[in-house]
Amino acid sequence: MLRAEVTQAHVLPRTISDVLSEASTAGCSRGPTTTYAWTLHRQTILVWRVKDGIQAPMRRLLLDQLPRGRIFVKVIPHSNSAAVTVIACTSGGHLYVWLDANFPAPPFSQQLFVSADDSSNGNAGDAVICALSAATAGSGSSLGFMAVIGTADGSLHLYHGSQNGIFPKQFHKPAPAAGPTPGMLGAFGSVVKALYSEAFDPLHNVQRQTASAMGALQLHLQPVDGSRWKLFVLTPEALDCWLLGAVGGRHNGEQLLWSYNLHGVLSVAYKARELSILAFAVSSGSISSGTAAAGPTHQQSQVYVWTTHLGATSRSHQHALSCLTLQEGSTVPEFIPALSSQTSSHVLSLESTADSTYRSWQVVAHNALSSCLLLSPSGSVLEWMSEQGPLGFLGSSPEHLAISCCGPVSNGVSNWLLLNASYGALEFKPSAAVPQGVPEAAGDTMTPEQEGAALEMLNKTVYLMLKEYLAGCPYRDLAEGLADRLARLSVFKGSQGRQLLVAASSSLVDQLAKSGTGVVSAASLRGQLQDKQIRHDLMLAAFQSGQVLQQVSPQQCRAVLEHAEMLAAVMAVLDWQRDMEVAAAELASGVTRTQVAAAAAAIQAAGILSGEGNAGYDAAASPGQHWEMFFSRPVVSMPALFEAIVMEASKVRAATGSEDTAGWASHATQQLLGLSGLLQAAAAGAQAKAAELAAAMPDELYKHGSCEPSWLSAEAPRAAWRQLAQGCVQLLSCLLQPSERLQLVHQAHLPSFEALLNTLRDTIRHSTTPVAPGVREEYAEAASEHGPALLATAEEEISAMGNAGILQVASEAIAAGEILQEGPAAESVVQLNRALVFQVERVAQQHQCHELLYNTCDLLLAYGLLDEGRLLVHMKQEVQESGGQLSAGSFTYYVMQRWRANGELVRLLHLGQQGFQQQLQQFLSSHPALLWMSQVQSGQISQAAGTLATAADQEQGSMAKRRRLLGLCRLAARAASAADPATTRTQAAASAGLRQLALQEQLQLPVTTPLTPAQLASAALQKAGAAAAGAGNGSGGAHAAIAAVEILALVADQQQSEQYRQLWDRSWLSVLQHSHVEQLCSIHAAAKEAKGQPEDFKLALQATPLYQALLKAAAALADVSKVQASLSPNDVLDSVANTLIAKVQQKQPADGAVECLRDLLTEASRAADPILASA
């Protein structure tokens, strides 16, 4: 709203604040000692003294008719009297004068006929009045005024008023343009005269011979002495100056001092095609034209002219401020190019605003500084000062109504005054009056002078905002530009300045307002705390509106917010303690004096710890002073409270079981309840304030200050909650009464457990540095430490409800779907909803305590409160929040893992039909032996075949299980689409796997677990070799060798490995060894000699192991080629044949051995052709 240092905020009177926003026009008038403001509301002029604020007496000046068009109002305070004269004149020419507006007397009212032109007949609707100015006249106690009215025809009328009457006089009427046209000789003489004047008269283009004949845009009446005034008349073409005397006075008469060619001079200076004069102002005092260091000075006044123009080449209008000086004794103002060019070189481009009937540009000159203030019709505030040159933008608001220069303040320099419809009259320092010479320190540090000025600025801003707040007015915009003003004091230059803001916040919260030794009452102390809270909230509002928080580090922003939260926590503790004392006195709500005493002891201990760092504090002071110290210093006392609660809770835990008295456990229970309630109250107050700040601040700004864990999640608060929770667990086993156990768990154990989890989670989530050792472990193990005790108490409570019949009544009411408001059934439902088990369930769900949540749902299921759908509700909610993609640590996976481990496979697989098909298969992806069932269940037969193949490969413990999986895999592959190549390959691989298992059984190996093809082939070769060495080439060895060949032929995608090639060659050599080619040669030779049938030799060939091995290999390779498309069975067999022939030839066998081998291979190839053709 206003980027300036506001020094005073004068609140609007109550009667004005409601109507000012609807007022048609308003203004301010400065007197010798005070300033008045006025506004027109309908047909009433409301006038009040600015400094009187909200209680200002109101002058209500009623017009006899509703004014149409513009109205000119001048409020004239008198220097030696409390009287104030008000003059109003409508644009239609109706004049109203209240000689002393303090008295409810009717005004002098007259319809003026100020125009001599017959066309202006004086009707109220005619805009015959275009300007008005007035000033005081007379001396002593007499009330007088001098007023000048300008009319549309260019005439000027003087009105001298006093208690003796009002005396009018027209002193200027433009002469009509008439007369004969000069002849040639006269015209030539005029030209010669003009050329002479231009050559030898320096004022020819500046000074006019006569006053302007155009209507006045603005008038300014300035007193010279008690009986003379200077009148400045601004017209669209010129600036005229008249010297006026009082009517009937010693200096009676009017004299034109000079007429300045303003339009012509400025058009040349700005090289303007078009130029319009908007407004002007004249400094009422004397402006020094030099400095003491520059030598002698003389006095001068300044005229500021605000114009708009089109440059020689520009297409848009620009605004410019021109400065004219009136030297003492000069006859015409002097346009100073150096001064004005400094401004014109920084011509301010503004959005064009529509002309307003009631609001126009306002310009106010400072009475002592070379500076002026401007207000646009749209509410933009601009400031110019000669030292800075360009116009400065101070803010914009449509509620800015008027500007003025108020009377001198304590430093002797007047402030600017801005009238705002919401904030009232705001005084702010001119830029030229702001100290610029505050010494700066080297580096990033601040000087003591800068620190003092910054703190004074903060305190003053908060004070002004407080004043507006107490008056019920807006206050936030008063801090606009605060960051810029602090930056000029080097606040943001280094860490010292930024820390100064944190220290100011802490000082405001921790200030000790009381003096003396007496102890203040709780009511008085609460009033002090409320005052602190209001002031600190206003400081936060100033930091936010003034863009200060964005300039500090996230840690410093967090510290300022924490101060507000700590103050709110202390206030909550004070209210809680008062309520507890009242409840204990009335024996209400189960509150006992033991609880109050335990909390008071903790507060007193915290007060002692808080006062340790305070100079002059006596630790042996009375308990009341410790109590007061705790509440007076929240920033120090809140961390001390956590430490005090840890000490008090440790005392209770240390005494557990040390006494045998019957009432000891109950007494300890009440102590823990008091300590827990105290800590809960403090945390609730701080959290409520944090939520309030989050709602009041923009998200980005609040996140800037929430970059780290909250102060409520530090080690000290965690230790306090931990001590309370562990103390409850320790004490539960000592309590004999179920009611005491329930009270302890409801009011202390569960809140402490939940708060501990909250602090641990906040620390883990928001820590910008590595989390301290043990924090994550404690968060993960807290549920296992406290969950059993909570569930045991919850089950005890539900059992008691069942015995009392509450469960049955509540269950029936819930099942009926009735909404009960009263009666036994309604009470049962309410009591059931408040049961501990539901609260434990909520905490377990929020903090992902999976085991505790599962056991809680089991407990509800066991007592018939809920069905198995409760688990599904939690699981579905988790799935929705995660978008369907769950992590391994999710509750849904925990349930699935628990059911799988417990063997509840039917229950597990049934989840696929309950909406968890995707999550179930995601979980079972690491358990293919179960995944295929889910895939078959959902109709994914092809995927199930692949999963079964994977499961079979992973099955290493049982041949029977692998056989079952491979059989199911082949069955699933057959049931799937036959056109799917992947499924076909899967089916072939399954068949190969089954054949390998069959071969392993045929070999009758001592191993019962499935072997790999390499292991199985090696075992077969070992058996074949043993048979050849010991049993003389027995049939068992031959079968083992054939099995080795078939096993290796069934292996897909391994033909290129070195191990495979070695085993492959060894297998065929073993088969060749068991085939006895020499015997075939003998059979062939004997058959030849006996001329036997060739069929006998053919049968002999087919009976050899080599023949059988070739057929087995052909069949196996045909199946493998379905899996491995690049495999060519013929090429493989041809390679085998060549290897065998080479091996026989290498041994130099008997005659005919190679031929016999070739016959054998040929016969085997002929038999294998149909098999290979099927591939």
Side-chain angles (χ1 to χ4, degrees), residues 329-637:
S330 64
T331 58
V332 68
E334 180 183 2
F335 176 69
I336 304 178
L339 186 59
S340 297
S341 63
Q342 184 181 10
T343 302
S344 62
S345 63
H346 299 278
V347 175
L348 183 67
S349 298
L350 297 174
E351 294 292 335
S352 60
T353 54
D355 293 335
S356 173
T357 306
Y358 307 113
R359 297 182 63 178
S360 58
W361 277 96
Q362 300 179 41
V363 183
V364 176
H366 201 276
N367 56 6
L369 300 173
S370 181
S371 178
C372 69
L373 194 69
L374 299 92
L375 178 65
S376 73
S378 61
S380 297
V381 182
L382 311 171
E383 185 185 25
W384 178 87
M385 51 183 295
S386 59
E387 292 84 356
Q388 294 181 350
L391 284 160
F393 179 74
L394 300 184
S396 180
S397 172
E399 293 187 330
H400 295 338
L401 302 178
I403 54 176
S404 180
C405 182
C406 58
V409 292
S410 57
N411 60 359
V413 179
S414 300
N415 286 336
W416 295 125
L417 185 72
L418 172 66
L419 181 63
N420 183 275
S422 297
Y423 291 89
L426 305 178
E427 289 188 32
F428 58 96
K429 291 182 179 180
S431 298
V434 176
Q436 304 292 333
V438 178
E440 294 188 7
D444 295 340
T445 60
M446 294 178 64
T447 63
E449 292 81 3
Q450 288 176 328
E451 290 185 0
L455 290 176
E456 181 183 0
M457 184 182 297
L458 283 178
N459 294 333
K460 185 179 294 183
T461 302
V462 173
Y463 168 76
L464 294 175
M465 296 175 70
L466 177 63
K467 187 176 179 181
E468 296 282 334
Y469 168 80
L470 295 177
C473 299
Y475 54 85
R476 286 184 173 271
D477 288 347
L478 291 176
E480 185 174 341
L482 179 60
D484 297 334
R485 299 195 294 274
L486 290 174
R488 289 196 289 267
L489 294 172
S490 302
V491 171
F492 306 117
K493 192 175 181 181
S495 59
Q496 177 189 358
R498 293 181 172 89
Q499 195 60 35
L500 181 68
L501 303 177
V502 180
S505 171
S506 175
S507 176
L508 177 58
V509 173
D510 274 358
Q511 65 181 358
L512 300 176
K514 183 187 71 67
S515 60
T517 58
V519 179
V520 298
S521 63
S524 176
L525 185 58
R526 196 180 196 290
Q528 295 179 12
L529 292 176
Q530 284 181 333
D531 181 67
K532 285 184 181 182
Q533 189 175 53
I534 292 174
R535 290 177 181 271
H536 194 268
D537 286 349
L538 292 176
M539 177 178 283
L540 280 177
F543 285 168
Q544 178 185 346
S545 300
Q547 304 294 315
V548 175
L549 291 179
Q550 293 87 335
Q551 304 296 328
V552 300
S553 67
Q555 293 76 15
Q556 291 164 338
C557 182
R558 175 70 255 176
V560 174
L561 299 180
E562 286 178 356
H563 295 162
E565 296 171 9
M566 291 177 179
L567 181 57
V570 166
M571 292 185 65
V573 168
L574 182 62
D575 294 339
W576 176 84
Q577 188 182 30
R578 180 191 57 192
D579 295 341
M580 291 290 287
E581 290 174 350
V582 173
E586 297 176 355
L587 301 177
S589 304
V591 178
T592 63
R593 297 188 181 276
T594 304
Q595 297 180 27
V596 177
I603 292 175
Q604 182 178 351
I608 295 175
L609 295 173
S610 303
E612 289 179 350
N614 188 30
Y617 182 74
D618 185 9
S622 64
Q625 290 179 329
H626 299 320
W627 176 81
E628 182 184 350
M629 178 59 67
F630 169 80
F631 289 104
S632 299
R633 306 187 64 193
V635 176
V636 181
S637 61

Side-chain angles (χ1 to χ4, degrees), residues 131-142:
L132 168 66
S133 183
T136 58
S139 60
S141 60
S142 63

Side-chain angles (χ1 to χ4, degrees), residues 125-401:
D126 296 336
V128 295
I129 306 299
C130 57
L132 168 66
S133 183
T136 58
S139 60
S141 60
S142 63
L143 302 180
F145 69 88
M146 178 73 74
V148 178
I149 294 177
T151 61
D153 62 355
S155 300
L156 298 175
H157 300 262
L158 175 66
Y159 292 86
H160 187 188
S162 66
Q163 295 172 342
N164 299 324
I166 298 177
F167 304 97
K169 180 181 180 181
Q170 179 179 356
F171 65 89
H172 173 62
K173 181 179 180 181
T181 303
M184 181 179 296
L185 184 60
F188 179 75
S190 299
V191 171
V192 173
K193 181 179 180 181
L195 293 174
Y196 177 85
S197 300
E198 185 174 358
F200 299 100
D201 186 2
L203 299 179
H204 172 70
N205 292 325
V206 175
Q207 188 173 13
R208 296 163 49 93
Q209 299 299 321
T210 59
S212 174
M214 304 182 72
L217 298 175
Q218 189 177 343
L219 301 175
H220 177 75
L221 195 60
Q222 188 178 82
V224 177
D225 52 34
S227 59
R228 291 187 301 173
W229 295 263
K230 277 187 178 180
L231 174 66
F232 295 89
V233 182
L234 182 70
T235 69
E237 63 178 0
L239 176 63
D240 299 340
C241 181
W242 296 78
L243 182 64
L244 307 180
V247 177
R250 182 164 53 93
H251 299 286
N252 185 16
E254 299 78 29
Q255 177 187 357
L256 177 65
L257 298 180
W258 44 263
S259 180
Y260 187 77
N261 184 17
L262 186 62
H263 188 277
V265 171
L266 296 183
S267 296
V268 173
Y270 298 129
K271 300 179 181 179
R273 292 179 292 160
E274 299 177 6
L275 185 139
S276 299
I277 300 173
L278 301 177
F280 86 122
V282 182
S283 59
S284 59
S286 297
I287 308 300
S288 176
S289 62
T291 61
T297 63
H298 57 277
Q299 302 299 317
Q300 64 180 9
S301 295
Q302 290 181 337
V303 179
Y304 305 98
V305 182
W306 185 240
T307 59
T308 179
H309 65 272
L310 273 174
T313 58
S314 63
R315 296 183 179 180
S316 60
H317 282 82
Q318 293 179 313
H319 292 72
L321 184 70
S322 305
C323 181
L324 287 75
T325 60
L326 297 175
Q327 300 289 348
E328 185 178 1
S330 64
T331 58
V332 68
E334 180 183 2
F335 176 69
I336 304 178
L339 186 59
S340 297
S341 63
Q342 184 181 10
T343 302
S344 62
S345 63
H346 299 278
V347 175
L348 183 67
S349 298
L350 297 174
E351 294 292 335
S352 60
T353 54
D355 293 335
S356 173
T357 306
Y358 307 113
R359 297 182 63 178
S360 58
W361 277 96
Q362 300 179 41
V363 183
V364 176
H366 201 276
N367 56 6
L369 300 173
S370 181
S371 178
C372 69
L373 194 69
L374 299 92
L375 178 65
S376 73
S378 61
S380 297
V381 182
L382 311 171
E383 185 185 25
W384 178 87
M385 51 183 295
S386 59
E387 292 84 356
Q388 294 181 350
L391 284 160
F393 179 74
L394 300 184
S396 180
S397 172
E399 293 187 330
H400 295 338
L401 302 178

Side-chain angles (χ1 to χ4, degrees), residues 864-908:
L865 296 178
L866 297 169
D867 55 14
E868 189 178 318
R870 188 71 168 190
L871 275 176
L872 301 180
V873 169
H874 293 303
M875 295 164 64
K876 288 181 179 179
Q877 181 179 352
E878 187 179 50
V879 170
Q880 292 175 355
E881 293 175 353
S882 64
Q885 298 296 325
L886 298 178
S887 63
S890 63
F891 176 68
T892 303
Y893 278 13
Y894 171 82
V895 173
M896 294 177 180
Q897 178 61 31
R898 184 160 177 166
W899 286 351
R900 190 192 71 84
N902 294 340
E904 301 178 68
L905 301 182
V906 175
R907 194 178 182 186
L908 173 63

